[in-house]
């Protein structure tokens, strides 16, 4: 099953697009220092290779961190308020809970042995310092590896300087030894110019060039790209001339940061006019960008650069982009969504300086905003259809650019209302990716900045209230809905008024104030029907249907869910609303006693939530499948599923099961039966096992066929097996049938790791050292007779 998420990207380490050269001493230092220091910061100037070194070190250290290695890329983040949100995203923690993201992260990391890589901290140094200090206090097994141009100044921080690659001085005999800088040049040059090699005839020139560039990796890579048009001699001569001018005609060294700037400036000078213009305009992008985005934002709008007279027609953007890729100014990135592009921070900073000098920064930023307003508007129109998943994947990759556009709106005079439009059009994005906290953050900032009474304001107000209900912050959103109602009435926004009425009822029933809710939902439904609001009716079908089911009107609630599903039937690619309608329907069917039908809904809905990586939705479905497992007397499966759901609740929600009493009761009933059958220790072990399983394994387990009743548990005799739990006796019986642990796991529909644990417990309790002893004991007791078996 394709479970590729529509959600934001995780903190997985990036694959290395080019070979890694040198740094063996630095890598050994990082590994050694992390054994005794919990925060290690790699410091050094831009372009020196801090990120590459940190990523390679993290790759090599993965095996030492059972909970994994997660990378947080900060270069595209400008707002320190969103630092914790960005770390949460890298740790795959959704923002469906109202708890502060830093608290959610701390709780998640508390008992995990994990390496967190914070990359490019210097522009957020105070926020990063605070975050590291808090997390290191809360999570004793956490290690943090950071990269920054300056220290974080956190207690216990250990600094490791990353310098340029070593380039030896010429020897007395004129022979040169191999060094990392030369190896890097040779590797990149052979890729840029097929057939190029470093030999006795050119080694001295290559070393002279690397020496002139101070061994700075980025400067060397930029220089190598010129080999496509210049010989090595020509390149060395021209570069030498530039440094002589920089040093006032003296053949003396210049500061290292100036060396890199000179190398970047030289690449800029050797670029064509359109390439230089594109370089400057691309600097307004944060993170990655697509070719259509580059064409829309960077191409001329029928004019020329006022400062240079250069033109960049839209048909030349691709050619210029290819030129910048060939010069190593722009990096090409292959993604599941197609080819995308990005610039390194140092090169982007240079481009921004050029854009300011050209007087084009405000104009280009406006075009960037206009492009993403159009993207958001298109998403709003299409996200409840078949294109939901590809649209979400694209927005996830553009998260940094969305933030940049919203930040520009909130900090520029006259633009907050554009920001409110952008934040509101992205409502489906905030919902489906679980970014409710960030969605509320931008809605609040833009609502504060734009006071215009428009349908957009009405929608932003009821959206914020909805997010608060989901996150468990109920009782504080009444004022939002009152304002939405008043504004909608004054301006005649009847669609907004219908949604507002629905969420007034939604708010009350989550507070347990059920009186009048059904009538209000009926009225909202009538209004939406009259207005032809298909999206409104699709959503109301499941959140209104849920209230009806909780109030005891199971048939009507199920009918509303069926209506929602029917409205989406023409768009099978839509997963979010479909998944919630299936969950609500499954609850209604279960409470009616139609358990098989409820499970069928649960399996179908779980697949939808798995595609979206919706942790809260997955937790709800696992709870329901645990009820069914209890009915089938598969009690270890009950505990595993409940443990897995519990782990998801702790990551995604302020309160498990929405705090709904009937859902708590169903959970408790299944748990009590499982504890009674497995024993407290047995239930605890299986529950803990479920909480530790990877998400894909949990989903596979939940979708596994559990329709058969559990195998018989061997009877418990007085004697040496008295200390075994019912499940351990069941495992012992299967061991005696010469089944492997993997085969037993398949038989009992649990993980192999669970069976490994059971077998170890059996051996320990019985004082045995081999599986053969277990089989012999079981055969002996079988020969002595038995009592009727019990079931688990």
């Amino acid at each position: 099953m394709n479970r590729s998420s529509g959600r934001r990207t995780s903190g997985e380490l990036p694959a290395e697009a080019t070979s890694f050269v040198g740094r063996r001493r630095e890598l050994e230092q990082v590994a050694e220092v992390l054994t005794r220091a919990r925060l290690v910061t790699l410091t050094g100037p831009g372009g020196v290779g801090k990120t590459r070194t940190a990523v390679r070190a993290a790759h090599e250290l993965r095996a030492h961190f059972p909970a994994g290695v997660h990378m947080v890329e900060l270069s595209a983040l400008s707002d320190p308020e969103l630092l914790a949100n960005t770390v949460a995203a890298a740790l795959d923690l959704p923002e469906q809970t109202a708890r502060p993201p830093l608290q959610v992260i701390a709780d998640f990391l508390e008992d995990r042995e994990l390496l967190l890589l914070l990359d490019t901290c210097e522009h957020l140094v105070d926020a990063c310092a605070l975050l590291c200090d808090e997390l290191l206090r809360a999570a004793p097994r956490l290690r943090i590896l950071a990269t920054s141009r300056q220290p974080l100044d956190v207690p216990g921080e250990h600094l490791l300087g990353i310098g340029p690659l070593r380039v030896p001085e010429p020897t007395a005999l004129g022979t040169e030894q191999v060094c990392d800088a030369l190896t890097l040049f040779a590797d990149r040059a052979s890729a840029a110019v097929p057939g190029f090699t470093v030999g006795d005839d050119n080694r001295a020139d290559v070393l002279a060039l690397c020496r002139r560039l101070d061994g700075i990796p980025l400067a060397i890579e930029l220089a190598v790209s010129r080999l496509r048009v210049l010989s090595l001699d020509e390149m060395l001569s021209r570069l030498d001339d530039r440094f002589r001018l920089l040093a006032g005609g003296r053949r003396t060294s210049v500061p290292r940061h100036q060396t890199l700037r000179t190398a970047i400036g030289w690449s800029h000078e050797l670029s064509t006019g359109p390439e230089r213009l594109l370089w400057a305009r691309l600097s307004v992008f944060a993170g990655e960008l697509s070719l259509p985005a580059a064409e829309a934002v960077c191409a001329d709008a029928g004019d020329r650069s006022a400062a240079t007279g250069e033109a960049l027609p839209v048909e030349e953007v691709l050619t210029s982009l290819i030129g910048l890729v060939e010069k190593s100014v722009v990096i090409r990135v292959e993604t599941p969504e197609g080819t995308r592009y990005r610039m390194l921070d140092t090169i982007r900073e240079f481009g921004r300086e050029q854009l300011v000098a050209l007087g084009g920064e405000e104009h280009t930023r406006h075009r960037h905003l206009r492009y993403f307003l159009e993207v958001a508007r298109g998403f709003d129109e299409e996200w409840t259809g078949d294109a939901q998943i590809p649209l979400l994947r694209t927005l996830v990759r553009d998260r940094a650019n969305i933030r940049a556009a919203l930040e520009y709106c909130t900090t520029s005079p006259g633009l907050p209302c554009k920001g409110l439009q952008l934040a509101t059009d992205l409502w489906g994005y905030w919902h489906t990716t679980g970014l409710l906290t960030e969605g509320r953050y931008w809605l609040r900032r833009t609502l504060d900045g734009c006071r215009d009474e428009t349908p957009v304001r009405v929608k932003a107000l009821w959206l914020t209230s909805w997010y608060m209900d989901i996150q468990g912050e109920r009782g504080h959103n009444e004022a939002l809905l009152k304002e939405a109602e008043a504004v909608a009435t004054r301006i005649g926004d009847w669609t907004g008024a219908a949604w507002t009425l629905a969420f007034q009822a939604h708010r009350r029933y989550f507070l347990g104030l059920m009186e009048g809710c059904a009538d209000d939902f009926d009225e909202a439904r009538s209004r939406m029907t009259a207005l032809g609001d298909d999206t409104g009716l699709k959503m109301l079908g499941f959140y209104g249907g849920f209230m009806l089911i909780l109030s005891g009107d199971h048939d009507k609630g199920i009918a509303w869910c069926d209506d929602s599903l029917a409205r989406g039937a023409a768009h099978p690619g839509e997963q979010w609303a479909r998944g919630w309608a299936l969950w609500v329907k499954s609850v209604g069917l279960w409470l009616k006693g139609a358990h098989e039908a409820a499970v069928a809904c649960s399996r179908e809905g779980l697949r939808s939530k798995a595609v979206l990586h919706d942790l809260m939705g997955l937790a709800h479905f696992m709870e329901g499948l645990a009820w069914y497992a209890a009915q089938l007397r598969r009690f270890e499966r009950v505990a595993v599923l409940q443990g897995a759901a519990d782990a998801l609740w702790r990551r995604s929600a302020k309160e498990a099961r929405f705090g709904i009493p009937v859902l708590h009761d169903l959970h408790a009933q299944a748990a009590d039966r499982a504890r009674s059958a497995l024993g407290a220790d047995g239930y605890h072990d299986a529950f803990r096992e479920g909480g530790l399983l990877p998400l894909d394994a949990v989903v596979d387990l939940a979708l596994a066929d559990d329709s058969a009743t559990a195998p018989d548990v061997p009877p418990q005799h007085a004697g040496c097996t008295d200390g075994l739990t019912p499940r351990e006796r069941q495992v012992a019986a299967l061991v005696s049938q010469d089944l492997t642990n993997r085969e037993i796991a398949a038989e009992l529909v649990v993980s192999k790791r669970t069976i490994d644990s059971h077998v170890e417990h059996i051996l320990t309790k019985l004082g045995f050292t081999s599986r053969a002893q277990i089989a012999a004991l079981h055969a002996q007791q079988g020969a002595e007779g038995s009592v009727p078996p019990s079931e688990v």
Side-chain angles (χ1 to χ4, degrees):
M1 183 178 75
N2 179 13
R3 296 201 191 104
S4 180
S5 170
R7 222 166 155 265
R8 58 194 180 278
T9 54
S10 71
E12 292 182 0
L13 294 175
E16 294 179 315
T18 55
S19 60
F20 186 85
V21 174
R23 301 294 193 194
R24 180 43 47 196
R25 182 179 62 85
E26 290 91 337
L27 292 171
E28 290 172 354
Q29 283 182 316
V30 171
E32 190 277 325
V33 173
L34 276 173
T35 64
R36 51 188 171 85
R38 297 181 56 217
L39 170 61
V40 177
T41 303
L42 307 187
T43 60
V48 82
K50 299 185 295 297
T51 297
R52 284 297 303 268
T53 303
V55 170
R56 170 49 69 99
H59 273 294
E60 294 184 357
L61 292 169
R62 305 183 79 121
H64 299 282
F65 293 93
V69 176
H70 295 262
M71 181 174 181
V72 188
E73 299 180 76
L74 300 176
S75 61
L77 179 66
S78 61
D79 187 346
E81 292 275 338
L82 295 175
L83 174 61
N85 304 70
T86 305
V87 175
L91 292 171
D92 203 17
L93 299 174
E95 299 172 10
Q96 293 166 308
T97 172
R99 290 188 298 153
L102 186 56
Q103 181 184 334
V104 174
I105 296 166
D107 289 348
F108 175 73
L109 294 176
E110 183 179 11
D111 58 354
R112 284 176 164 81
E113 190 170 358
L114 180 145
L115 177 63
L116 189 64
L117 171 52
L118 300 178
D119 184 44
T120 315
C121 298
E122 59 269 4
H123 61 302
L124 301 166
V125 67
D126 291 338
C128 287
L130 177 62
L131 178 131
C132 289
D133 190 44
E134 291 285 339
L135 294 184
L136 291 170
R137 291 175 189 274
R141 302 169 73 192
L142 172 68
R143 295 289 189 276
I144 298 176
L145 178 61
T147 71
S148 178
R149 297 182 193 178
Q150 66 184 91
L152 302 185
D153 287 332
V154 175
E157 179 183 26
H158 192 110
L159 301 178
L160 286 178
I162 302 296
L165 297 174
R166 188 180 63 83
V167 189
E169 292 299 321
T171 66
L173 297 177
T175 59
E176 308 287 355
Q177 60 190 39
V178 174
C179 62
D180 290 342
L182 185 144
T183 303
L184 176 66
F185 187 99
D187 180 82
R188 303 303 190 257
S190 64
V193 182
F196 181 92
T197 59
V198 175
D200 293 340
D201 59 332
N202 63 4
R203 182 177 288 105
D205 285 343
V206 170
L207 283 166
L209 181 63
C210 293
R211 195 176 299 114
R212 205 72 181 98
L213 295 173
D214 282 339
I216 299 174
L218 178 56
I220 292 172
E221 297 209 25
L222 289 171
V224 164
S225 69
R226 306 314 305 161
L227 283 175
R228 296 187 181 98
V229 292
L230 297 173
S231 69
L232 188 58
D233 287 342
E234 290 173 325
M235 184 172 10
L236 186 58
S237 174
R238 292 187 180 210
L239 187 59
D240 209 36
D241 288 343
R242 284 190 60 85
F243 278 107
R244 190 178 296 111
L245 288 172
L246 186 66
R250 301 180 303 277
R251 294 185 63 89
T252 57
S253 64
V254 296
R256 190 167 289 146
H257 73 274
Q258 192 63 59
T259 299
L260 178 59
R261 183 173 179 81
T262 300
I264 295 173
W266 188 48
S267 288
H268 185 262
E269 208 170 85
L270 294 175
S271 299
T272 67
E275 287 171 355
R276 287 194 293 267
L277 203 53
L278 180 60
W279 183 344
R281 292 174 178 174
L282 287 175
S283 70
V284 302
F285 285 93
E288 297 176 2
L289 63 132
S290 64
L291 175 60
E295 291 174 332
V297 175
C298 300
D300 292 332
D303 57 353
R304 290 173 176 266
S305 168
T308 66
E310 295 289 352
L312 184 59
V314 66
E315 60 270 16
E316 290 188 22
V317 170
L318 177 57
T319 301
S320 298
L321 189 58
I322 292 171
L324 292 177
V325 170
E326 290 175 345
K327 294 175 177 66
S328 297
V329 171
V330 171
I331 298 171
R332 175 175 168 166
V333 183
E334 294 301 330
T335 76
E337 289 70 55
T339 301
R340 292 172 67 86
Y341 305 89
R342 66 181 179 89
M343 289 196 291
L344 296 178
D345 297 341
T346 312
I347 291 175
R348 182 186 295 110
E349 290 164 7
F350 184 92
R352 185 158 299 171
E353 291 176 10
Q354 304 307 308
L355 186 61
V356 171
L358 293 171
E361 184 178 27
E362 282 302 307
H363 177 68
T364 310
R365 284 193 171 281
H366 269 85
R367 295 186 67 181
H368 179 273
L369 170 61
R370 186 163 63 244
Y371 175 77
F372 283 101
L373 278 167
E374 292 172 0
V375 167
R377 187 176 300 114
F379 173 80
D380 188 31
E381 292 171 353
E382 300 290 338
W383 79 275
T384 56
D386 286 324
Q388 184 178 82
I389 300 301
L391 286 172
L392 281 170
R393 288 177 181 150
T394 300
L395 280 181
V396 164
R397 300 209 73 94
D398 274 325
R399 185 183 187 186
N401 282 303
I402 290 168
R403 284 177 167 175
L406 285 164
E407 182 68 25
Y408 178 57
C409 289
T410 56
T411 56
S412 301
L415 291 180
C417 289
K418 294 286 187 184
L420 184 61
Q421 180 73 61
L422 178 57
T424 304
D425 281 346
L426 291 170
W427 69 292
Y429 167 71
W430 308 128
H431 256 312
T432 50
T433 56
L435 292 172
L436 300 186
T437 299
E438 182 167 348
R440 284 177 58 189
Y441 173 78
W442 291 116
L443 288 168
R444 175 181 57 78
R445 287 187 66 180
T446 53
L447 278 167
D448 289 345
C450 176
R451 309 299 301 183
D452 294 0
E453 293 194 344
T454 64
V456 176
R457 183 172 187 83
V458 173
K459 185 174 182 178
L461 289 166
W462 61 251
L463 273 174
T464 304
S465 175
W466 191 3
Y467 296 167
M468 291 174 73
D469 280 344
I470 294 171
Q471 293 189 300
E473 284 199 358
R474 298 153 200 152
H476 305 289
N477 48 357
E478 185 177 8
L480 296 171
L481 294 170
K482 284 184 175 180
E483 183 186 348
E485 181 182 21
V487 173
T489 301
R490 282 196 294 270
I491 66 175
D493 176 17
W494 308 125
T495 297
W499 282 78
T500 300
L501 176 62
F503 284 109
Q504 287 170 332
H506 187 274
R507 170 186 168 274
R508 295 201 307 277
Y509 84 69
F510 266 117
L511 290 172
L513 307 174
M514 306 293 285
E515 186 176 353
C517 289
D519 291 340
D520 283 351
F521 276 131
D522 281 337
E523 175 62 22
R525 185 177 181 84
S526 296
R527 294 185 190 182
M528 290 177 181
T529 301
L531 291 164
D533 186 354
D534 191 67
T535 298
L537 290 166
K538 185 188 296 184
M539 304 292 179
L540 181 62
F542 60 80
Y543 66 76
F546 188 47
M547 186 280 304
L548 293 169
I549 287 168
L550 292 181
S551 64
D553 197 344
H554 302 151
D555 290 335
K556 185 174 180 180
I558 291 169
W560 279 30
C561 289
D562 283 337
D563 180 73
S564 176
L565 292 167
R567 290 178 185 278
H571 302 289
E574 195 282 325
Q575 303 290 345
W576 185 79
R578 172 183 172 77
W580 283 118
L582 286 166
W583 175 69
V584 174
K585 182 179 179 180
S586 75
V587 173
L589 289 168
W590 187 271
L591 293 175
K592 274 189 67 173
H595 295 167
E596 296 289 342
V599 169
C601 274
S602 292
R603 292 187 188 285
E604 191 177 350
L606 188 141
R607 291 185 177 92
S608 291
K609 292 304 182 186
V611 170
L612 285 169
H613 204 80
D614 183 340
L615 302 191
M616 182 183 287
L618 288 171
H620 278 301
F621 281 116
M622 286 174 192
E623 291 277 359
L625 291 171
W627 310 337
Y628 186 57
Q631 186 180 73
L632 297 179
R633 303 180 61 80
R634 286 191 172 272
F635 293 122
E636 186 158 353
R637 179 176 170 83
V638 172
V640 171
L641 287 171
Q642 289 187 334
D646 179 72
L648 296 177
W649 289 128
R650 286 187 283 110
R651 290 168 66 182
S652 66
K654 183 177 181 179
E655 52 187 345
R657 298 171 287 280
F658 283 146
I660 303 296
V662 67
L663 300 182
H664 287 329
D665 290 344
L666 289 166
H667 171 90
Q669 291 165 17
D672 288 346
R673 293 186 65 192
R675 279 194 199 91
S676 177
L678 301 174
D681 289 344
Y683 177 84
H684 173 78
D685 289 346
F687 185 93
R688 184 174 181 275
E689 170 72 17
L692 294 174
L693 286 175
L695 188 60
D696 277 357
V698 173
V699 172
D700 287 341
L701 175 64
L703 291 173
D705 182 18
D706 58 2
S707 58
T709 57
D712 291 344
V713 173
Q716 184 168 1
H717 298 280
C720 62
T721 61
D722 287 355
L724 298 187
T725 67
R727 177 59 97 185
E728 287 166 351
R729 288 185 283 113
Q730 185 180 30
V731 171
L734 294 172
V735 168
S736 73
Q737 296 176 26
D738 204 27
L739 297 181
T740 66
N741 285 5
R742 189 173 300 281
E743 290 168 336
I744 296 172
E747 176 75 13
L748 300 181
V749 200
V750 296
S751 72
K752 176 181 175 294
R753 189 161 59 179
T754 295
I755 301 303
D756 293 340
S757 177
H758 280 315
V759 172
E760 287 297 320
H761 289 167
I762 294 167
L763 292 169
T764 300
K765 288 180 178 181
L766 300 181
F768 290 167
T769 58
S770 72
R771 296 166 65 91
Q773 290 173 291
I774 298 174
L777 175 63
H778 186 270
Q780 175 187 344
Q781 292 194 335
E784 294 171 356
S786 64
V787 297
S790 60
E791 291 183 330
V792 171

